[in-house]
C-alpha cells in the first residue's frame, strides 16, 4: 500500500484511512475515531497558495511543537514531571483525538449533537469553548492553548455539511456578542463550506503534503509513538493514553483500574503501532 502511495496510485486520504483501520480506529468508536492531520497553517489569506511551503503545517512535528516557544514549554513540563513522578512523565496531558474532540467538531450534525451534550452533562458547552472557527481552532491547537493539541477528523476533507448549523441548534452567544451558527471559515473559502472542503482536500493531496506526510505518520502510527524517538520528537503523552501498553489484568485494585479505563474513555488513546 505504501508503494502505491509513493506511485500516487492511491490518494493520501485513502492511505490515511487504511492506516487508521490497521491501527484499530473506526467510525464506530468515538474513543478511537479515525485521526487526520492539520495540513495547513494559512487560515488568514484571501487566496490559498498550495505551491508555497509556508502555507502548510510542519508535518514532522506534533501539534504541541509547532512553535519554538510552545515546544520549549512542553519540554520544560516533561523535565519537571520527571523530577516529581517519573512514572507519569510526558509532554502532553491531553490527547489529539478523543470522543469529546470528535463530537465537538461534528456537533452541528446528529447523532454527534446528542453525543456532545451527553458528554457535557446534558447541554452544550459554554459558547466560547465551542468549535466555531477553523482559524481560532488552529491557533488554539498549534500555539495558544497548552491543553489543546487536537488533530482533525476525516470529515474535514469530504463533508461540508458538518460546517453548517442546518438544524438551527441554539449553540449560545460568545462573550463578544457573536451568536454561534455556522462555522467561521478562512477568507480563502469565501464563506462557502463546499469550497473549503474542495481546497482543503486539494491541500491534503498536494505535492508538499505527499512529500512530508510520512513524517506525521511516524508520529501518530509509527516508531515515534513512544520510547526515545518519541521523547526526541516531543511526542509523549500521559501513560494512560497508551492503552495497549498497559496490562489491566495485572491491576488488582478495582478503583485504579476503573480510573484508568475512565481516563482512556474520556481523553483518548494512542493508535496501535503499524
Amino acid at each position: 500500500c505504501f508503494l502505491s502511495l509513493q506511485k500516487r496510485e492511491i490518494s493520501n486520504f485513502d492511505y490515511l484511512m487504511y492506516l487508521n483501520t490497521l491501527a484499530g480506529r473506526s467510525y464506530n468508536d468515538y474513543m478511537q475515531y479515525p485521526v487526520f492531520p492539520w495540513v495547513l497553517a494559512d487560515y488568514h489569506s484571501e487566496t490559498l497558495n498550495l505551491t508555497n511551503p509556508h502555507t502548510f503545517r510542519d508535518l514532522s512535528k506534533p501539534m504541541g511543537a509547532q512553535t519554538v516557544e510552545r515546544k520549549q514549554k512542553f519540554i520544560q513540563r516533561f523535565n519537571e514531571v520527571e523530577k516529581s513522578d517519573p512514572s507519569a512523565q510526558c509532554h502532553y496531558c491531553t490527547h489529539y483525538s478523543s470522543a469529546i474532540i470528535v463530537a465537538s467538531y461534528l456537533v452541528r450534525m446528529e447523532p454527534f449533537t446528542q453525543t456532545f451534550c451527553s458528554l457535557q452533562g446534558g447541554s452544550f458547552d459554554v459558547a466560547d469553548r465551542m468549535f466555531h472557527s477553523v482559524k481560532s481552532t488552529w491557533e488554539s491547537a498549534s500555539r495558544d492553548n497548552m491543553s489543546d493539541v487536537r488533530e482533525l477528523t476525516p470529515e474535514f476533507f469530504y463533508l461540508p455539511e458538518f460546517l453548517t448549523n442546518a438544524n438551527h441548534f441554539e449553540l449560545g452567544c460568545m462573550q463578544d456578542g457573536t451568536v454561534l451558527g455556522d462555522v467561521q471559515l478562512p477568507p480563502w473559502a469565501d464563506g462557502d463550506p463546499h469550497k473549503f472542503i474542495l481546497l482543503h482536500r486539494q491541500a491534503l493531496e498536494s505535492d508538499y503534503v505527499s512529500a512530508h506526510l510520512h513524517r506525521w505518520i511516524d508520529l501518530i502510527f509509527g516508531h515515534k509513538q513512544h520510547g526515545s524517538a518519541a521523547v526526541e520528537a516531543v511526542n509523549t503523552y500521559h501513560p494512560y493514553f497508551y492503552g495497549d501498553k498497559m496490562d489491566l489484568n495485572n491491576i488488582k485494585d478495582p478503583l485504579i483500574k476503573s480510573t484508568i479505563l475512565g481516563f482512556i474513555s474520556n481523553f483518548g488513546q494512542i493508535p496501535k503501532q503499524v
Side-chain angles (χ1 to χ4, degrees):
C1 190
F2 180 65
L3 290 176
S4 296
L5 180 69
Q6 286 184 319
K7 295 177 182 179
R8 308 298 286 270
E9 292 175 355
I10 65 171
S11 67
N12 291 335
F13 182 91
D14 288 339
Y15 187 62
L16 287 172
M17 284 303 301
Y18 174 73
L19 288 176
N20 272 284
T21 302
L22 283 181
R25 302 186 79 85
S26 164
Y27 284 117
N28 297 322
D29 186 349
Y30 293 173
M31 292 178 288
Q32 296 192 76
Y33 205 76
V35 56
F36 269 60
W38 288 94
V39 294
L40 293 173
D42 182 356
Y43 298 96
H44 57 270
S45 297
E46 294 295 327
T47 58
L48 191 63
N49 183 359
L50 297 181
T51 64
N52 182 356
H54 295 293
T55 297
F56 298 91
R57 166 256 182 103
D58 187 342
L59 288 160
S60 70
K61 296 181 175 65
M63 290 302 292
Q66 289 297 306
T67 70
V68 175
E69 295 81 4
R70 189 159 135 112
K71 177 181 177 181
Q72 289 305 316
K73 288 180 181 178
F74 281 120
I75 291 174
Q76 181 180 354
R77 172 190 286 176
F78 183 89
N79 294 331
E80 289 173 350
V81 172
E82 181 183 25
K83 297 173 184 175
S84 60
D85 185 5
S87 65
Q89 190 175 22
C90 63
H91 294 105
Y92 314 116
C93 298
T94 54
H95 200 257
Y96 49 76
S97 177
S98 66
I100 192 64
I101 290 173
V102 171
S104 68
Y105 278 146
L106 307 176
V107 68
R108 291 164 176 79
M109 300 189 309
E110 293 288 13
F112 301 98
T113 311
Q114 292 305 313
T115 299
F116 181 83
C117 290
S118 176
L119 292 171
Q120 284 293 129
S123 62
F124 292 118
D125 198 358
V126 174
D128 287 82
R129 292 201 297 259
M130 296 281 287
F131 171 52
H132 66 278
S133 161
V134 177
K135 178 177 180 287
S136 65
T137 302
W138 159 256
E139 291 173 347
S140 172
S142 67
R143 187 188 69 198
D144 296 339
N145 189 342
M146 289 291 285
S147 63
D148 183 3
V149 293
R150 70 190 124 164
E151 295 279 5
L152 300 180
T153 64
E155 286 81 1
F156 277 81
F157 300 95
Y158 70 84
L159 190 68
E161 285 78 11
F162 88 95
L163 297 165
T164 63
N165 188 22
N167 291 313
H168 305 291
F169 293 120
E170 294 184 4
L171 302 174
C173 181
M174 299 173 64
Q175 289 185 356
D176 65 2
T178 302
V179 177
L180 264 59
D182 297 344
V183 175
Q184 296 172 12
L185 302 176
W188 44 258
D190 296 326
D192 183 350
H194 290 83
K195 185 173 182 179
F196 172 84
I197 295 294
L198 174 65
L199 292 176
H200 205 214
R201 183 63 172 267
Q202 287 178 359
L204 178 64
E205 306 299 339
S206 67
D207 290 340
Y208 180 90
V209 172
S210 296
H212 296 85
L213 186 58
H214 66 283
R215 297 180 181 275
W216 182 84
I217 290 170
D218 286 342
L219 295 169
I220 306 300
F221 300 105
H223 74 286
K224 293 184 179 180
Q225 264 192 357
H226 55 81
S228 59
V231 174
E232 185 177 345
V234 193
N235 192 46
T236 66
Y237 298 80
H238 192 285
Y240 288 174
F241 292 145
Y242 298 85
D244 59 337
K245 304 297 181 186
M246 303 193 68
D247 190 354
L248 294 175
N249 294 323
N250 287 334
I251 299 176
K252 303 305 181 184
D253 189 323
L255 181 59
I256 295 177
K257 182 182 290 189
S258 175
T259 299
I260 294 173
L261 288 172
F263 196 95
I264 294 171
S265 297
N266 287 311
F267 298 107
Q269 188 171 351
I270 301 292
K272 295 177 181 177
Q273 188 173 353
V274 296

